[in-house]
Amino acid sequence: MRRVGLLWPGREQDHPTKTRAAFVDRLRELGWIDGKNIQVHERYAGGVLDRLPTLARELVALKVDVIVAVAVAASTAASEATARIPIVMVHAGNPVGAGLVESLARPGRNVTGTTSMIPDLGGKQIELLHQVAPAARRIAFLSNPSNAGTLPLLQSAADAAQLLGIELVVVEVVARQDFDPAFVRIEQSQAEAMLVVVEPLVNANREAVIAFAARRRLPAVYTTGEEFVRDGGLISYSANLFLHYPRAADYVDKILKGASPAGLPVEQPVGFKLLVNLKTARALDLQLPPTLVALADEVIE
C-alpha cells in the first residue's frame, strides 16, 4: 500500500469534486486504486495559508510516499517540511521565483509538477478587460503580493496597461482582514474596472470580492477560477487548471515507479479557458463584444 498526501490551500468546498476526481480517476487508469494499493490522505488549509506548514508536516509524519501540493503556497509549505519526500506541484505560479525548482527543464530537487505561469498572461487579461470596458482609464489590480506568481503577472499587466494608456492601481491583500480596506482604496482610486489575481486567499474571500464588484458596478476579470464566474463574476481567463490534475497523477505514477522528481521537467500550461457570465454583464449594463462571447469556452446566461 503506497501513500499519497494531497495538500489543498483552500476550503474543501472551494475545490470542485471534478478536480479531485480527475486526479483519482487518472491514478486508477494507471493502476493505482484508492483503498486497494494506494491511500490518499488530504489536508485543507481553509484559505488560511499560515496553516499550510502544519498540515504539510502532518503529511510528512504520515510517511507518505509523495505529496501533491495545489498552488505555489502549498508547494512551498511542503518543500519546507521535507527535502526527502517527492513533491508534485499542481498549477504552481512561478516555481522558479519561489525557489522550489532550479529551472523548469531541470528541477534539480525533490519538487516537480505543473506550473500555471505564462509570462504574458497578465497583459492578455488587461487587453481583455480593455475590450470589455474600453472607456476605462484606471484599472485596479487586486492581488496578494506574498504569492510568488503575483510579480510576473503584475509586470506583464503593467506593461500592457502602459501601452494602452491605462493607469494600473495596485491594491494588496495578505490576510482576510485586508479586504475591506482594499475595497475602500479601490473606491477612493475611482478605478473603473478591476483585474483580480485569484489565489488561495482571494478564492477563500470570493463572495466578498464578487459582491464588491457588483456593488461598485466594476467590470472585473478574474485570472483563474471558474467558481468566480459561476458565482456572479463577469469573466475569467486563465490556463485550464483542470488539465493539471490528471497530469499530477502521471507524475505520481512515475515517482511511485522509481523516477526522481529532480529529473522530471516541470510542465507549463497547454490549454486556456475563457468563461463569460452574460447575466452579470446585463446587470452592469455592459454590451460585450459578440466576438468575445463567441470565443468563450462557456457562457453563463
Side-chain angles (χ1 to χ4, degrees), residues 43 62 88 180 259 267 301:
R43 295 293 185 275
L62 287 173
V88 175
D180 285 340
E267 291 188 4
E301 299 284 353

Side-chain angles (χ1 to χ4, degrees), residues 106 115-117 164 196 208 224 301:
R106 298 178 182 274
T115 173
S116 58
M117 184 180 66
L164 293 168
V196 180
T224 64
E301 299 284 353

Side-chain angles (χ1 to χ4, degrees), residues 25 97 229 242 255 273 293:
D25 289 348
V229 178
F242 177 76
I255 289 169
K273 193 165 187 178
V293 177

Side-chain angles (χ1 to χ4, degrees), residues 11 78 82 88 161 252 262 271:
R11 300 170 297 182
T82 178
V88 175
V252 169

Side-chain angles (χ1 to χ4, degrees), residues 116-136:
S116 58
M117 184 180 66
I118 298 294
D120 61 346
L121 187 58
K124 292 184 182 299
Q125 288 158 340
I126 287 290
E127 292 168 6
L128 176 60
L129 198 46
H130 182 61
Q131 289 183 49
V132 172

Side-chain angles (χ1 to χ4, degrees), residues 242-254:
F242 177 76
L243 300 177
H244 292 239
Y245 291 88
R247 292 300 298 134
D250 291 336
Y251 277 99
V252 169
D253 175 62
K254 291 176 183 177

Side-chain angles (χ1 to χ4, degrees), residues 195-210:
L195 177 58
V196 180
V197 182
V198 178
E199 46 78 60
L201 174 66
V202 173
N203 195 36
N205 292 273
R206 179 170 70 246
E207 295 86 354
V209 175
I210 294 171

